[in-house]
Structures are given as structure tokens and as C-alpha cells.
Amino acid sequence: MIKKEKNYNLIIGGIITAVLMIFMFIGIFYTPHDPNAMDSSLKYADMSLKNLFGCDNFGRDLFSRVMTGSLATFNVALITVLTGTFFGVLIGALTGYYGGIIDEILMRVNDTIFAFPSILLALVFVSILGSGRNTIILALGIAFIPSFARIVRAEFLKYRDMDYIISAKLMGAGNLRIMFVHILPNTYRILLPAIIIGFNNAVLAEAGMSYLGIGVQPPHPSLGYMLSDAQSHFSQMPMMALAPGTVLILLILGFSLLSDGLSKSKAY
């Protein structure tokens, strides 16, 4: 009897991700303190039962701010990836299925967007629309479209001439049904790990933007903004950097392991 090898990446990644999801979900409804409430008497307060991670230079509770900040970073990354996935799948499906002039036009636009680094594209949008959460979501969402479009296009090119697709056409199935019912479900084994990796990239991009001051704006916390804010106060209160930095690392690690585990798994 062949012993089935355990997929440790999937297990560990799933546990880390689940714990962080619970941590952020609780933050939607409850935080121990108001994350933006200042108390000068608690400036640089050490870790305690009342303030688990201590307090920052304004006397704000770091645990509450990490809860709220991680949720803000997660939301931006999630909306960004969903936007990129939706339009990327749509463009990839159209170009891969129809080919011809549609393929030429859409893929040239796709290549043009792909040529711009996401940070540069974000800076262009910030210069036009101003800094903030919605601007970053728009810029990063557009920047993520080309990668998903290429993946879906390649899969559609592979499946569109297969026998079962030809049979579906002969039986009178419409193009939209063939595209989104018969072909698209076959792309999920490739697309799902790519979406998770895309989420990781979006988390890093959002953190980088907020670190530079063009992402989520104060007083609302995000992990990147908290890291930036901690630079000048690390010697007085190391937890100002360690707390958001650790959550950011765990968030990326958890989803990276999850993506790697899914790509190796035969169960989905």
C-alpha cells in the first residue's frame, strides 16, 4: 500500500491564513481600544494585559491598530486582485477563444499596460486623482489585469479546439456558454494559485504605497503606513515596527504556502 504524502505547505499555509482571517474578522466588529484614540500618558507604553503590543508615540494601542491596519491592507489587496481577475479573465477568454483582430487589439493593450511597473502606474494615477485608498485600488487593479489575461488566454488556446468543445458547438451551444461553462472551469487549477500569488503581490504593493505615503491615509492605519511611522521611533518602541511587520510577513507567508500547496495538490 502506497502511503499518501502529506501536503505540509497546504496545511501550514491554511493554518496561518485561517488564524489571520479570524484575527482580521474580529477586527471588523471589535478592537480592545479605539485604534485612533490618543492618550499622551500612554506614550511608548510597554506591553501589558491592557495593551498587548504596547502603545505608539501618540499613546495609541498598537494591538488595535494592527487589527485595523491588517484589515485595511487585506481589503485593498482583495479588491485589487478581484478587479484584476475579473477583467483579466474576460480579456483572456475573448482573445483566447476568438483570436484574430480581437486578439491583436486586446493583447497589444495588455502588453502596453504590462510594460508599466505597478508603482509607476500608481504614481501616475496619484498625480491625476490624488493619493488615497481608492486611487491605489484603481491603479493596482489595472496593473494586475495583464498577468491574469495571459494565463487565461493560454488556457483557452489549449482547450478551444478539443473534441468536447467541437461537439458542444455541433450540438448548438452558444459561444458564451462554451467560453464560461465548458472552458473556463478547466482553468481553475492554473488560475487559483496565480490569484493567491497575485494577492501576495497586491499586499506588498499596498504596503509599499502606504509606506511611501500614497496609499491609505492617516489617521487610518495600514501595515505599510505603520511601518513608515515606526522608523523614527524604533529605539523607543520596537513593537511599532515588529507588530505590523510580523503580521505582514505571516500574511504573505501563509498565502505563499497555500498557493504552493494548491499547485501541488491533486485534491482539487
Side-chain angles (χ1 to χ4, degrees):
M1 183 176 178
I2 299 174
K3 187 177 180 180
K4 188 176 180 180
E5 186 178 348
K6 288 187 178 180
N7 192 335
Y8 287 105
N9 283 355
L10 186 62
I11 295 170
I12 296 171
I15 292 172
I16 294 173
T17 302
V19 170
L20 288 174
M21 291 299 101
I22 293 170
F23 177 74
M24 288 185 283
F25 181 76
I26 293 172
I28 298 174
F29 305 100
Y30 168 79
T31 54
H33 303 277
D34 182 343
N36 295 321
M38 302 181 186
D39 186 345
S40 58
S41 65
L42 294 175
K43 181 177 179 180
Y44 301 131
D46 291 329
M47 293 182 289
S48 65
L49 291 177
K50 183 180 178 181
N51 305 105
L52 293 179
F53 290 166
C55 297
D56 66 6
N57 55 310
F58 291 111
R60 297 173 296 192
D61 180 58
L62 284 173
F63 187 80
S64 300
R65 287 182 66 76
V66 168
M67 290 182 78
T68 307
S70 59
L71 183 62
T73 297
F74 178 85
N75 285 339
V76 170
L78 181 63
I79 297 171
T80 293
V81 170
L82 289 178
T83 302
T85 302
F86 177 80
F87 289 103
V89 167
L90 187 61
I91 292 171
L94 290 172
T95 55
Y97 184 77
Y98 288 107
I101 189 66
I102 294 176
D103 187 21
E104 284 295 322
I105 293 173
L106 291 179
M107 290 312 294
R108 293 300 75 76
V109 174
N110 198 67
D111 290 341
T112 302
I113 296 173
F114 193 74
F116 283 89
S118 57
I119 293 181
L120 180 59
L121 191 63
L123 290 173
V124 171
F125 275 86
V126 166
S127 66
I128 299 172
L129 302 175
S131 59
R133 175 177 178 270
N134 293 335
T135 303
I136 295 304
I137 289 174
L138 179 61
L140 293 179
I142 292 173
F144 274 64
I145 290 173
S147 56
F148 292 119
R150 288 184 174 190
I151 291 171
V152 174
R153 177 177 178 270
E155 291 298 294
F156 267 70
L157 287 172
K158 182 171 71 175
Y159 285 105
R160 70 179 183 181
D161 294 323
M162 287 191 171
D163 291 341
Y164 80 97
I165 298 298
I166 295 172
S167 298
K169 290 179 180 179
L170 293 174
M171 293 175 67
N175 288 329
L176 289 178
R177 179 177 178 80
I178 291 172
M179 289 166 63
F180 297 107
V181 176
H182 294 286
I183 300 180
L184 186 60
N186 291 309
T187 68
Y188 81 101
R189 287 186 64 89
I190 301 295
L191 190 58
L192 185 57
I195 290 172
I196 297 175
I197 290 299
F199 175 83
N200 269 359
N201 293 334
V203 167
L204 284 172
E206 189 285 329
M209 304 294 181
S210 295
Y211 183 86
L212 294 173
I214 58 175
V216 177
Q217 297 297 298
H220 306 294
S222 78
L223 297 179
Y225 169 70
M226 291 181 71
L227 286 171
S228 176
D229 197 36
Q231 283 186 115
S232 305
H233 310 279
F234 187 79
S235 59
Q236 295 96 331
M237 188 58 185
M239 282 301 290
M240 284 183 66
L242 294 176
T246 301
V247 172
L248 185 62
I249 290 170
L250 288 175
L251 188 61
I252 294 169
L253 176 64
F255 277 96
S256 295
L257 292 174
L258 199 60
S259 175
D260 186 62
L262 284 173
S263 64
K264 295 177 180 178
S265 175
K266 297 179 181 179
Y268 84 107

Short mmCIF file of all heavy atoms in Angstrom, two decimals, residues 57-99:
data_model
loop_
_atom_site.label_atom_id
_atom_site.label_comp_id
_atom_site.label_asym_id
_atom_site.label_seq_id
_atom_site.Cartn_x
_atom_site.Cartn_y
_atom_site.Cartn_z
N ASN A 57 3.86 56.36 19.65
CA ASN A 57 4.32 57.67 20.09
C ASN A 57 3.19 58.63 20.41
O ASN A 57 3.41 59.68 21.02
CB ASN A 57 5.23 58.29 19.02
CG ASN A 57 4.57 58.36 17.67
OD1 ASN A 57 4.02 57.36 17.17
ND2 ASN A 57 4.62 59.52 17.03
N PHE A 58 1.96 58.31 20.01
CA PHE A 58 0.80 59.13 20.36
C PHE A 58 -0.06 58.48 21.44
O PHE A 58 -1.15 58.97 21.75
CB PHE A 58 -0.07 59.39 19.13
CG PHE A 58 0.57 60.28 18.10
CD1 PHE A 58 0.98 59.78 16.87
CD2 PHE A 58 0.76 61.62 18.37
CE1 PHE A 58 1.57 60.60 15.93
CE2 PHE A 58 1.36 62.46 17.43
CZ PHE A 58 1.76 61.94 16.20
N GLY A 59 0.42 57.37 21.98
CA GLY A 59 -0.34 56.69 23.01
C GLY A 59 -1.49 55.85 22.46
O GLY A 59 -2.42 55.51 23.20
N ARG A 60 -1.44 55.52 21.17
CA ARG A 60 -2.49 54.69 20.56
C ARG A 60 -2.15 53.21 20.75
O ARG A 60 -0.99 52.81 20.64
CB ARG A 60 -2.63 55.02 19.08
CG ARG A 60 -3.06 56.45 18.81
CD ARG A 60 -3.04 56.80 17.34
NE ARG A 60 -1.69 56.74 16.77
CZ ARG A 60 -1.36 57.23 15.58
NH1 ARG A 60 -2.29 57.80 14.82
NH2 ARG A 60 -0.12 57.13 15.14
N ASP A 61 -3.17 52.42 21.01
CA ASP A 61 -2.98 50.99 21.24
C ASP A 61 -2.52 50.29 19.97
O ASP A 61 -3.24 50.27 18.96
CB ASP A 61 -4.29 50.38 21.75
CG ASP A 61 -4.17 48.89 22.01
OD1 ASP A 61 -3.30 48.51 22.82
OD2 ASP A 61 -4.91 48.11 21.40
N LEU A 62 -1.34 49.67 20.00
CA LEU A 62 -0.77 49.05 18.81
C LEU A 62 -1.53 47.79 18.39
O LEU A 62 -1.66 47.52 17.19
CB LEU A 62 0.70 48.70 19.04
CG LEU A 62 1.69 49.88 18.99
CD1 LEU A 62 3.07 49.43 19.42
CD2 LEU A 62 1.73 50.46 17.59
N PHE A 63 -2.02 47.03 19.35
CA PHE A 63 -2.77 45.82 19.00
C PHE A 63 -4.02 46.17 18.20
O PHE A 63 -4.32 45.54 17.18
CB PHE A 63 -3.15 45.05 20.27
CG PHE A 63 -3.78 43.72 20.00
CD1 PHE A 63 -3.01 42.61 19.69
CD2 PHE A 63 -5.16 43.56 20.05
CE1 PHE A 63 -3.58 41.37 19.44
CE2 PHE A 63 -5.75 42.33 19.80
CZ PHE A 63 -4.96 41.23 19.49
N SER A 64 -4.74 47.18 18.64
CA SER A 64 -5.95 47.61 17.94
C SER A 64 -5.61 48.16 16.56
O SER A 64 -6.33 47.92 15.58
CB SER A 64 -6.68 48.68 18.75
OG SER A 64 -7.07 48.19 20.01
N ARG A 65 -4.49 48.89 16.46
CA ARG A 65 -4.10 49.45 15.18
C ARG A 65 -3.63 48.37 14.20
O ARG A 65 -3.87 48.46 13.00
CB ARG A 65 -2.99 50.50 15.38
CG ARG A 65 -3.51 51.79 15.99
CD ARG A 65 -2.44 52.85 16.14
NE ARG A 65 -1.93 53.32 14.86
CZ ARG A 65 -2.58 54.17 14.07
NH1 ARG A 65 -3.79 54.62 14.38
NH2 ARG A 65 -2.02 54.58 12.95
N VAL A 66 -2.97 47.32 14.72
CA VAL A 66 -2.56 46.22 13.85
C VAL A 66 -3.79 45.47 13.35
O VAL A 66 -3.85 45.08 12.17
CB VAL A 66 -1.60 45.27 14.60
CG1 VAL A 66 -1.40 43.98 13.81
CG2 VAL A 66 -0.25 45.95 14.81
N MET A 67 -4.77 45.27 14.21
CA MET A 67 -6.01 44.61 13.79
C MET A 67 -6.67 45.39 12.65
O MET A 67 -7.04 44.83 11.62
CB MET A 67 -6.99 44.48 14.96
CG MET A 67 -6.60 43.50 16.03
SD MET A 67 -7.83 43.35 17.35
CE MET A 67 -9.06 42.31 16.56
N THR A 68 -6.82 46.69 12.85
CA THR A 68 -7.48 47.53 11.85
C THR A 68 -6.60 47.70 10.61
O THR A 68 -7.10 47.68 9.49
CB THR A 68 -7.79 48.92 12.45
OG1 THR A 68 -8.52 48.76 13.67
CG2 THR A 68 -8.62 49.76 11.49
N GLY A 69 -5.29 47.86 10.83
CA GLY A 69 -4.38 48.06 9.71
C GLY A 69 -4.25 46.84 8.82
O GLY A 69 -4.18 46.96 7.59
N SER A 70 -4.20 45.66 9.41
CA SER A 70 -4.12 44.44 8.61
C SER A 70 -5.38 44.24 7.79
O SER A 70 -5.33 43.78 6.64
CB SER A 70 -3.87 43.22 9.51
OG SER A 70 -4.90 43.08 10.47
N LEU A 71 -6.53 44.61 8.36
CA LEU A 71 -7.79 44.51 7.62
C LEU A 71 -7.81 45.48 6.45
O LEU A 71 -8.28 45.14 5.35
CB LEU A 71 -8.96 44.79 8.56
CG LEU A 71 -10.36 44.67 7.97
CD1 LEU A 71 -10.62 43.25 7.48
CD2 LEU A 71 -11.42 45.08 8.99
N ALA A 72 -7.28 46.70 6.66
CA ALA A 72 -7.23 47.69 5.57
C ALA A 72 -6.33 47.20 4.44
O ALA A 72 -6.69 47.29 3.26
CB ALA A 72 -6.71 49.02 6.12
N THR A 73 -5.17 46.66 4.79
CA THR A 73 -4.25 46.12 3.77
C THR A 73 -4.89 44.95 3.04
O THR A 73 -4.79 44.85 1.81
CB THR A 73 -2.94 45.67 4.45
OG1 THR A 73 -2.29 46.81 5.02
CG2 THR A 73 -1.99 45.03 3.43
N PHE A 74 -5.53 44.06 3.78
CA PHE A 74 -6.19 42.90 3.18
C PHE A 74 -7.29 43.33 2.22
O PHE A 74 -7.41 42.79 1.11
CB PHE A 74 -6.77 42.01 4.28
CG PHE A 74 -7.51 40.80 3.76
CD1 PHE A 74 -6.84 39.64 3.44
CD2 PHE A 74 -8.89 40.84 3.58
CE1 PHE A 74 -7.51 38.53 2.97
CE2 PHE A 74 -9.57 39.73 3.10
CZ PHE A 74 -8.88 38.58 2.80
N ASN A 75 -8.11 44.30 2.62
CA ASN A 75 -9.22 44.75 1.78
C ASN A 75 -8.73 45.35 0.46
O ASN A 75 -9.29 45.08 -0.60
CB ASN A 75 -10.08 45.77 2.53
CG ASN A 75 -10.96 45.12 3.57
OD1 ASN A 75 -11.24 43.92 3.50
ND2 ASN A 75 -11.40 45.90 4.55
N VAL A 76 -7.69 46.18 0.54
CA VAL A 76 -7.14 46.79 -0.67
C VAL A 76 -6.61 45.71 -1.60
O VAL A 76 -6.87 45.72 -2.81
CB VAL A 76 -6.02 47.80 -0.32
CG1 VAL A 76 -5.29 48.25 -1.58
CG2 VAL A 76 -6.60 49.01 0.40
N ALA A 77 -5.85 44.75 -1.03
CA ALA A 77 -5.28 43.67 -1.84
C ALA A 77 -6.38 42.81 -2.45
O ALA A 77 -6.31 42.42 -3.63
CB ALA A 77 -4.35 42.81 -0.99
N LEU A 78 -7.42 42.51 -1.68
CA LEU A 78 -8.51 41.65 -2.16
C LEU A 78 -9.26 42.31 -3.30
O LEU A 78 -9.51 41.69 -4.35
CB LEU A 78 -9.47 41.33 -1.01
CG LEU A 78 -10.65 40.42 -1.36
CD1 LEU A 78 -10.17 39.05 -1.80
CD2 LEU A 78 -11.60 40.30 -0.17
N ILE A 79 -9.64 43.58 -3.13
CA ILE A 79 -10.38 44.29 -4.18
C ILE A 79 -9.52 44.44 -5.43
O ILE A 79 -9.99 44.30 -6.56
CB ILE A 79 -10.86 45.67 -3.68
CG1 ILE A 79 -11.84 45.49 -2.52
CG2 ILE A 79 -11.53 46.45 -4.80
CD1 ILE A 79 -12.20 46.78 -1.81
N THR A 80 -8.23 44.70 -5.21
CA THR A 80 -7.30 44.82 -6.34
C THR A 80 -7.25 43.53 -7.16
O THR A 80 -7.35 43.55 -8.39
CB THR A 80 -5.89 45.14 -5.81
OG1 THR A 80 -5.88 46.45 -5.24
CG2 THR A 80 -4.86 45.10 -6.94
N VAL A 81 -7.08 42.40 -6.47
CA VAL A 81 -6.97 41.12 -7.16
C VAL A 81 -8.29 40.73 -7.82
O VAL A 81 -8.30 40.21 -8.94
CB VAL A 81 -6.51 40.02 -6.18
CG1 VAL A 81 -6.62 38.64 -6.81
CG2 VAL A 81 -5.08 40.27 -5.76
N LEU A 82 -9.41 40.99 -7.16
CA LEU A 82 -10.71 40.68 -7.76
C LEU A 82 -10.93 41.50 -9.04
O LEU A 82 -11.44 40.99 -10.04
CB LEU A 82 -11.83 40.96 -6.76
CG LEU A 82 -11.94 39.98 -5.58
CD1 LEU A 82 -13.06 40.42 -4.65
CD2 LEU A 82 -12.17 38.56 -6.07
N THR A 83 -10.51 42.78 -8.99
CA THR A 83 -10.63 43.63 -10.18
C THR A 83 -9.76 43.10 -11.31
O THR A 83 -10.21 42.96 -12.45
CB THR A 83 -10.22 45.08 -9.84
OG1 THR A 83 -11.05 45.57 -8.79
CG2 THR A 83 -10.36 45.98 -11.06
N GLY A 84 -8.49 42.82 -10.99
CA GLY A 84 -7.57 42.30 -12.00
C GLY A 84 -8.01 40.97 -12.54
O GLY A 84 -7.90 40.70 -13.74
N THR A 85 -8.55 40.10 -11.67
CA THR A 85 -9.00 38.78 -12.10
C THR A 85 -10.21 38.88 -13.02
O THR A 85 -10.26 38.22 -14.07
CB THR A 85 -9.37 37.91 -10.88
OG1 THR A 85 -8.23 37.78 -10.02
CG2 THR A 85 -9.81 36.53 -11.32
N PHE A 86 -11.19 39.70 -12.65
CA PHE A 86 -12.42 39.82 -13.45
C PHE A 86 -12.10 40.28 -14.87
O PHE A 86 -12.49 39.63 -15.85
CB PHE A 86 -13.39 40.80 -12.79
CG PHE A 86 -14.64 41.04 -13.58
CD1 PHE A 86 -15.68 40.13 -13.57
CD2 PHE A 86 -14.77 42.19 -14.37
CE1 PHE A 86 -16.83 40.34 -14.32
CE2 PHE A 86 -15.91 42.41 -15.12
CZ PHE A 86 -16.95 41.48 -15.09
N PHE A 87 -11.39 41.39 -14.98
CA PHE A 87 -11.10 41.92 -16.31
C PHE A 87 -10.05 41.08 -17.03
O PHE A 87 -10.09 40.95 -18.26
CB PHE A 87 -10.66 43.38 -16.21
CG PHE A 87 -11.77 44.32 -15.85
CD1 PHE A 87 -11.89 44.83 -14.56
CD2 PHE A 87 -12.73 44.68 -16.78
CE1 PHE A 87 -12.92 45.68 -14.22
CE2 PHE A 87 -13.77 45.53 -16.45
CZ PHE A 87 -13.87 46.03 -15.16
N GLY A 88 -9.12 40.50 -16.28
CA GLY A 88 -8.12 39.64 -16.90
C GLY A 88 -8.74 38.39 -17.49
O GLY A 88 -8.40 37.97 -18.61
N VAL A 89 -9.67 37.77 -16.74
CA VAL A 89 -10.37 36.58 -17.25
C VAL A 89 -11.20 36.93 -18.47
O VAL A 89 -11.21 36.19 -19.46
CB VAL A 89 -11.26 35.97 -16.14
CG1 VAL A 89 -12.23 34.95 -16.72
CG2 VAL A 89 -10.40 35.33 -15.06
N LEU A 90 -11.88 38.07 -18.43
CA LEU A 90 -12.71 38.49 -19.56
C LEU A 90 -11.87 38.71 -20.82
O LEU A 90 -12.21 38.20 -21.91
CB LEU A 90 -13.46 39.77 -19.19
CG LEU A 90 -14.51 40.26 -20.18
CD1 LEU A 90 -15.62 39.23 -20.36
CD2 LEU A 90 -15.10 41.60 -19.72
N ILE A 91 -10.77 39.44 -20.68
CA ILE A 91 -9.89 39.70 -21.82
C ILE A 91 -9.23 38.42 -22.31
O ILE A 91 -9.16 38.15 -23.52
CB ILE A 91 -8.83 40.76 -21.45
CG1 ILE A 91 -9.49 42.11 -21.21
CG2 ILE A 91 -7.76 40.86 -22.54
CD1 ILE A 91 -8.57 43.16 -20.64
N GLY A 92 -8.73 37.60 -21.38
CA GLY A 92 -8.09 36.35 -21.76
C GLY A 92 -9.03 35.40 -22.46
O GLY A 92 -8.65 34.73 -23.43
N ALA A 93 -10.29 35.35 -21.99
CA ALA A 93 -11.28 34.48 -22.61
C ALA A 93 -11.60 34.94 -24.04
O ALA A 93 -11.67 34.12 -24.97
CB ALA A 93 -12.55 34.44 -21.77
N LEU A 94 -11.80 36.23 -24.22
CA LEU A 94 -12.13 36.76 -25.55
C LEU A 94 -10.99 36.56 -26.53
O LEU A 94 -11.20 36.12 -27.67
CB LEU A 94 -12.48 38.25 -25.44
CG LEU A 94 -13.80 38.61 -24.75
CD1 LEU A 94 -13.92 40.10 -24.55
CD2 LEU A 94 -14.99 38.09 -25.56
N THR A 95 -9.78 36.88 -26.11
CA THR A 95 -8.63 36.76 -27.02
C THR A 95 -8.28 35.31 -27.31
O THR A 95 -7.93 34.95 -28.44
CB THR A 95 -7.40 37.48 -26.43
OG1 THR A 95 -7.13 36.95 -25.13
CG2 THR A 95 -7.63 38.98 -26.32
N GLY A 96 -8.36 34.46 -26.29
CA GLY A 96 -8.01 33.06 -26.48
C GLY A 96 -9.05 32.29 -27.29
O GLY A 96 -8.69 31.37 -28.04
N TYR A 97 -10.30 32.67 -27.16
CA TYR A 97 -11.36 31.93 -27.85
C TYR A 97 -11.55 32.40 -29.28
O TYR A 97 -11.63 31.60 -30.22
CB TYR A 97 -12.68 32.06 -27.09
CG TYR A 97 -13.81 31.25 -27.68
CD1 TYR A 97 -13.88 29.88 -27.49
CD2 TYR A 97 -14.80 31.87 -28.45
CE1 TYR A 97 -14.91 29.13 -28.03
CE2 TYR A 97 -15.83 31.13 -29.00
CZ TYR A 97 -15.89 29.76 -28.78
OH TYR A 97 -16.92 29.02 -29.33
N TYR A 98 -11.61 33.72 -29.47
CA TYR A 98 -11.89 34.26 -30.81
C TYR A 98 -10.63 34.44 -31.66
O TYR A 98 -10.66 34.23 -32.87
CB TYR A 98 -12.63 35.60 -30.69
CG TYR A 98 -14.05 35.46 -30.22
CD1 TYR A 98 -14.42 35.82 -28.94
CD2 TYR A 98 -15.04 34.97 -31.08
CE1 TYR A 98 -15.74 35.70 -28.51
CE2 TYR A 98 -16.36 34.83 -30.66
CZ TYR A 98 -16.69 35.21 -29.37
OH TYR A 98 -17.99 35.07 -28.95
N GLY A 99 -9.53 34.86 -31.03
CA GLY A 99 -8.31 35.12 -31.80
C GLY A 99 -8.51 36.27 -32.77
O GLY A 99 -9.34 37.16 -32.57
#
